[in-house]
Amino acid sequence: MSADLRSLVLLAATLTTGLMAGLYFAFSCAVMPGLGRSSDRTFVESMQRINVAILNGWFSLAFGGALVLGGLAIALHRRGAASAALPWIIAGVALYALSLLITMGLNVPLNDRLANAGDPGKIHDLAAVRERFESTWVHWNVARTLACTASLGCLAWAMRVAARASGQA
């Protein structure tokens, strides 16, 4: 197996994980605090629109690509000097998988419930809809941000370990 291919796959896994960590972090420190200061109608309508808009090819590429590329990096680093990085890659992929479990098991069902509440202009009690969504969603977003950022750290460290093991650093 080519060391260049191994390095490129690990780099791509690290970059896509970084994109996801950055997205979650942006929600944690800018999007949700900003929306938190808005009216109930603005909050509900904005989150409904964000949850639709985010389902696009670029998001899908990073969201799924991080896991696929991480799995491929595990497979490519199983033998020889490259295996020195394997524990860090496995840890990074496991932490990223945890962020996916949080997203799919907790954040997405909340998003679906918010969407099912209907048109904000026709919701009788916007404050109640917001109340059932906001604090729980924010809590789990922080959890997935931490898991994904830890994943990024592990993968970045794996790049360093892999480079040292192959004599490149």
Side-chain angles (χ1 to χ4, degrees), residues 8-157:
L8 285 173
V9 169
L10 182 53
L11 175 62
T14 304
L15 289 173
T16 52
T17 301
L19 289 171
M20 293 310 302
L23 176 68
Y24 298 150
F25 182 70
F27 268 88
S28 290
C29 66
V31 175
M32 297 311 287
L35 287 177
R37 294 178 178 95
S38 66
S39 69
D40 294 336
R41 180 183 174 129
T42 298
F43 179 90
V44 170
E45 184 174 11
S46 296
M47 283 306 298
Q48 285 178 336
R49 289 182 182 196
I50 288 167
N51 291 333
V52 170
I54 201 165
L55 299 177
N56 62 66
W58 292 110
F59 171 78
S60 296
L61 186 64
F63 186 74
L67 185 64
V68 170
L69 290 163
L72 185 55
I74 288 171
L76 294 175
H77 286 83
R78 289 187 342 205
R79 293 185 176 79
S83 67
L86 191 58
W88 291 102
I89 299 169
I90 291 170
V93 172
L95 286 162
Y96 186 74
L98 174 61
S99 76
L100 291 180
L101 290 172
I102 294 168
T103 299
M104 301 308 291
L106 299 159
N107 291 93
V108 169
L110 288 167
N111 293 346
D112 292 343
R113 203 170 1 158
L114 191 65
N116 292 335
D119 180 348
K122 296 178 182 175
I123 296 173
H124 174 67
D125 191 354
L126 280 165
V129 170
R130 179 180 184 167
E131 177 67 28
R132 288 189 299 270
F133 177 86
E134 186 175 15
S135 64
T136 304
W137 194 95
V138 167
H139 170 81
W140 290 112
N141 185 65
V142 169
R144 69 182 178 174
T145 301
L146 293 171
C148 199
T149 302
S151 171
L152 175 60
C154 288
L155 293 174
W157 193 256

